[in-house]
């Protein structure tokens, strides 16, 4: 999160109004919910995990055991179960 001076981006009358509630503190203003992105969409991590999970499901369907998949992917057996039993 980067820091931006209020005087550089907000009109004076809005700063005066905000100062009625907060003075000299750091104030976080969140993005609107419609602009939120799911975790990992910017970095590509989400896509990598989705691909990994698809490979795990495919291997399970072809006969690999949950224990084998857990050891191969360095995940717990419970995590593998969640992946293979989810839709």
């Amino acid at each position: 999160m980067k820091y931006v001076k209020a005087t550089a981006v907000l009109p004076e009358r809005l700063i005066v109004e905000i100062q009625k509630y907060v003075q000299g503190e750091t104030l976080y203003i969140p993005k609107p919910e419609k602009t939120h992105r799911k975790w990992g969409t910017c970095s590509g991590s989400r896509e990598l995990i989705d691909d990994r999970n698809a490979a795990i499901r495919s291997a399970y369907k072809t006969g690999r055991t949950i224990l084998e998949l857990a050891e191969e992917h360095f995940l717990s057996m419970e995590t593998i179960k969640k992946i293979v039993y989810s839709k």
Side-chain angles (χ1 to χ4, degrees):
M1 180 170 36
K2 67 180 184 175
Y3 173 83
V4 178
K5 282 189 92 168
T7 55
V9 295
L10 299 176
E12 181 64 29
R13 67 187 191 305
L14 182 55
I15 293 172
V16 170
E17 188 64 27
I18 292 170
Q19 286 173 332
K20 292 178 184 177
Y21 303 94
V22 178
Q23 304 96 30
E25 300 288 333
T26 302
L27 181 65
Y28 173 72
I29 301 174
K31 293 180 179 181
E33 282 192 33
K34 64 182 178 181
T35 63
H36 284 224
R37 296 182 191 154
K38 288 187 175 183
W39 175 88
T41 55
C42 290
S43 66
S45 297
R46 179 80 263 153
E47 186 176 338
L48 291 173
I49 291 173
D50 290 343
D51 292 345
R52 179 205 66 190
N53 291 352
I56 290 171
R57 283 188 204 94
S58 176
Y60 181 74
K61 288 178 183 176
T62 61
R64 303 285 304 279
T65 67
I66 289 176
L67 179 60
E68 290 172 335
L69 294 168
E71 290 173 352
E72 179 181 334
H73 293 279
F74 304 101
L75 297 170
S76 71
M77 289 178 57
E78 290 303 313
T79 300
I80 297 295
K81 287 178 185 177
K82 287 178 186 177
I83 292 168
V84 298
Y85 298 137
S86 69
K87 293 182 178 180

